[in-house]
Amino acid sequence: MPIFWLLLFILILAKRKNLYLYLRIACLFIYISLTPIFSILLEFPLLMNVNNFDKQEKYSLALVPTAGIYQDFQSKWHPSSKTVQRISMGEKLAKELNIPLLISGGIVNNYSISEASAVKKYILHKNVLYDHESKNSYETVKNLSKVFKFTSPNETVLLITSPKHVLRMTLILSSHGYSVYNYTKKLEKPFNYKLFFPDVRTIQTNNASLYEYIAILQYIYLKYIKISVFHE
């Protein structure tokens, strides 16, 4: 869709004598933006601090924000595949480290149940807390102290989420005074000639990266993220 609007913008506003040049530039930009190497460069800043997990660190809890649910044809609710991946890893780490597991996910998009409710049947860990109120990343951090009673002001949180979501969550948690470590599976992409040829799958990847950048800027504007945390 952004590509369509770019071409339409050129066709409407470009002068006729420069139209061919602008179209060539637009096509070149489209070609580059559809290559996997462009996607890798675009997402690189989001992934710089991914997986800084330290098993020797003393964590207060493992925090898992949910990532959507869906309803089947029998009107039963299930967590999305991304949510399942997060809670599975979160539960594994919480058991290994013997710490509480906090799953955060409220009611979004007018669903009838909270996202946290949809994952309960998948959890076997005994020490689990559920946040049914938070509808976004900021509310997850804001409500953290309501759900879990911390014993000291500078607690250490183990964050388990998707790679691109790590930076935004880390910035919010740091802005609220928490020390943050994260654990996530970072997929290594082999470097070969295919990275320089267009792949339609990059559209979804690029959109996910742009979504995170826009969300971070929005949170800075709303003062959910403090500028000072970038210098820490």
Side-chain angles (χ1 to χ4, degrees), residues 142-153:
K142 179 183 176 184
N143 295 328
L144 195 54
S145 60
K146 297 179 182 178
V147 181
F148 183 80
K149 302 303 179 184
F150 292 101
T151 57
S152 63

Side-chain angles (χ1 to χ4, degrees), residues 69-103:
I69 57 177
Y70 68 94
Q71 191 175 32
D72 63 21
F73 290 108
Q74 298 180 26
S75 299
K76 297 178 181 179
W77 290 96
H78 307 276
S80 67
S81 59
K82 190 176 291 186
T83 296
V84 171
Q85 290 172 359
R86 291 183 186 182
I87 63 172
S88 177
M89 182 54 65
E91 183 178 28
K92 178 176 180 293
L93 290 169
K95 286 180 179 178
E96 290 178 358
L97 299 171
N98 193 27
I99 58 176
L101 172 65
L102 195 159
I103 299 174

